[in-house]
């Protein structure tokens, strides 16, 4: 069942051209919970001096993952769109490492879904970035 | 001491445009996204030419929120970098030929970035102009507006804070 959900979620993500282009994969899906990964790619470098990925690519991963959390929420029907999203960049992502985003849709109303997410790499438990935002429902 | 004859303005303009292009080309992600810059004096406009792989909702279709955010963040970082570089060129601290990230320049680091999605991004080119609201010794506050066909109908607005790197003047 869990594998089936991941497959459905991955097919959905593959249907989003920009997410597919950035190589995003679904790790797990729960009710209002979504975990995604984005592999390191030299194309996404924002600071050539250090090889650190551009914040924009991390933002795209967090935004996609938050959208996934909204769609996987049991009370949600149909598609969603971002109303607003704030990302705090805590530390540079370690060059060469995959970035993992974990998003939670913690409140769902008739019109708005509230989501937060955290991005980590494998170097430390300290987050690379955190996001919080509001999404359209229904 | 005799004053040097000023350089023809066209030569200066070409050199500055080349410096700007060099700045963009030195960042892989900017190249990957296909983001371009146009300069009118010290004013920059960022351009995101439409591409199929920037879409987030293929049914509408609409630009991916992440692509929009990335475009806006790049616009802010460039505005901030360019405003410093511009001043450095004007005051002769830095020559336009020296400009490439990783040599004499360090990128500003984003502290936080907030995007307001005002309407869905249409499958066409997008434009953005950023403003440095305040630039202190260490931090800068930058905001940016993005539009497509109509300058007064913004499709996204964003603002963020950045850590300003020092310009290294020694080589």
């Amino acid at each position: 069942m869990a594998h089936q959900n991941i497959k459905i979620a991955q097919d959905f993500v593959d249907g989003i051209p920009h997410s597919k282009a950035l190589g995003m994969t679904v790790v797990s899906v729960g009710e209002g919970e979504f975990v995604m990964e984005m592999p390191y790619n030299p194309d996404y470098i924002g600071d050539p001096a250090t090889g650190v990925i551009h914040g924009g690519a991390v933002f795209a991963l967090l935004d996609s993952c938050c959208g996934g959390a909204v769609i996987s929420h049991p009370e949600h029907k149909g598609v969603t769109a971002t109303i607003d999203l704030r990302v705090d960049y805590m530390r540079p992502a370690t060059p060469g490492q995959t970035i993992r985003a974990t998003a939670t849709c913690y409140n769902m109303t008739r019109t708005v879904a509230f989501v937060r997410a955290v991005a980590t790499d494998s170097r430390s438990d300290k987050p690379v970035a955190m996001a919080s935002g509001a999404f359209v429902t229904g | 001491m005799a004053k040097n004859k000023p350089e023809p303005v066209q030569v200066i303009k070409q050199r500055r445009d080349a410096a700007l292009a060099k700045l963009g080309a030195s960042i892989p992600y900017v190249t990957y996204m296909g983001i371009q810059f146009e300069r009118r004096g010290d004013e920059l406009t960022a351009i995101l030419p439409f591409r199929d792989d920037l879409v987030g909702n293929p049914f509408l279709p609409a630009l991916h929120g992440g692509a929009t955010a990335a475009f806006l963040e790049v616009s802010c970082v460039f505005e901030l970098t360019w405003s410093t570089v511009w001043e450095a060129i004007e005051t002769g601290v830095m020559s336009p030929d020296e400009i490439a990230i990783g040599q004499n320049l360090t990128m500003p680091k984003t502290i936080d970035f907030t995007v307001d999605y005002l309407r869905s991004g249409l499958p066409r080119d997008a434009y953005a102009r950023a403003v440095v609201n305040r630039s202190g010794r260490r931090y800068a506050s930058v905001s940016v507006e993005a539009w497509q066909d109509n300058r007064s109908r913004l499709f996204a607005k964003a603002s963020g804070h950045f850590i300003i790197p020092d310009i290294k003047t020694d080589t």
Side-chain angles (χ1 to χ4, degrees), chain A residues 43-63:
Chain A
D43 280 348
Y44 313 156
I45 291 173
D47 189 350
T50 56
V52 170
I53 279 189
H54 195 279
V58 179
F59 200 114
L61 173 68
L62 286 165
D63 183 47

Side-chain angles (χ1 to χ4, degrees), chain A residues 15-19 21-22 24 42-49 54-61 63-64 79-80 82-90 92, chain B residues 26-30 32-33 52-58 64-67 69-70 73-74 77 101-102 105-107 109-118:
Chain A
I16 302 169
H18 194 58
S19 302
L22 291 176
M24 294 180 198
D43 280 348
Y44 313 156
I45 291 173
D47 189 350
H54 195 279
V58 179
F59 200 114
L61 173 68
D63 183 47
S64 302
V79 291
T80 187
T82 322
I83 298 171
D84 89 303
L85 192 69
R86 173 194 168 109
V87 175
D88 290 308
Y89 297 95
M90 262 74 102
Chain B
S26 68
I27 305 165
Y29 188 65
V30 173
Y32 171 75
M33 294 290 288
D52 285 333
D53 67 354
L54 299 177
V55 166
N57 183 332
H64 193 288
E73 198 177 320
V74 166
V77 168
I101 298 291
L105 279 178
T106 329
M107 296 303 288
K109 287 190 177 63
T110 315
I111 302 167
D112 60 67
F113 201 66
T114 310
V115 184
D116 245 329
Y117 296 92
L118 305 171

Side-chain angles (χ1 to χ4, degrees), chain B residues 27-44:
Chain B
I27 305 165
Y29 188 65
V30 173
T31 313
Y32 171 75
M33 294 290 288
I35 299 168
Q36 299 159 8
F37 295 90
E38 255 181 35
R39 187 185 69 86
R40 297 284 179 269
D42 65 347
E43 183 197 61
L44 283 188

Side-chain angles (χ1 to χ4, degrees), chain B:
Chain B
M1 200 171 86
K3 217 174 172 187
N4 289 337
K5 196 181 161 211
E7 270 187 302
V9 73
Q10 204 55 31
V11 173
I12 300 173
K13 187 170 174 264
Q14 268 174 16
R15 203 170 50 205
R16 283 181 185 157
D17 286 340
L20 183 62
K22 214 167 153 184
L23 197 62
S26 68
I27 305 165
Y29 188 65
V30 173
T31 313
Y32 171 75
M33 294 290 288
I35 299 168
Q36 299 159 8
F37 295 90
E38 255 181 35
R39 187 185 69 86
R40 297 284 179 269
D42 65 347
E43 183 197 61
L44 283 188
T45 307
I47 302 153
L48 179 71
F50 178 75
R51 228 166 54 191
D52 285 333
D53 67 354
L54 299 177
V55 166
N57 183 332
F59 303 104
L60 288 174
L63 288 179
H64 193 288
T68 302
F71 172 53
L72 296 180
E73 198 177 320
V74 166
S75 309
C76 287
V77 168
F78 256 70
E79 182 63 41
L80 196 56
T81 307
W82 186 249
S83 63
T84 336
V85 166
W86 178 265
E87 213 177 274
I89 296 175
E90 294 291 301
T91 53
V93 173
M94 189 181 264
S95 91
D97 306 318
E98 290 181 323
I99 288 156
I101 298 291
Q103 291 174 16
N104 293 48
L105 279 178
T106 329
M107 296 303 288
K109 287 190 177 63
T110 315
I111 302 167
D112 60 67
F113 201 66
T114 310
V115 184
D116 245 329
Y117 296 92
L118 305 171
R119 35 176 73 82
S120 70
L122 302 169
R124 56 193 70 163
D125 296 0
Y127 312 99
R129 236 171 249 162
V131 181
V132 179
N133 299 317
R134 191 190 125 80
S135 180
R137 232 161 14 98
R138 268 178 265 171
Y139 315 108
S141 161
V142 187
S143 50
V144 58
E145 292 182 342
W147 71 97
Q148 292 186 304
D149 297 323
N150 190 336
R151 177 68 176 90
S152 60
R153 278 174 66 86
L154 302 179
F155 80 99
K157 253 186 111 145
S159 66
H161 296 93
F162 300 84
I163 297 175
I164 310 170
D166 297 324
I167 288 194
K168 292 189 206 102
T169 45
D170 49 59
T171 38

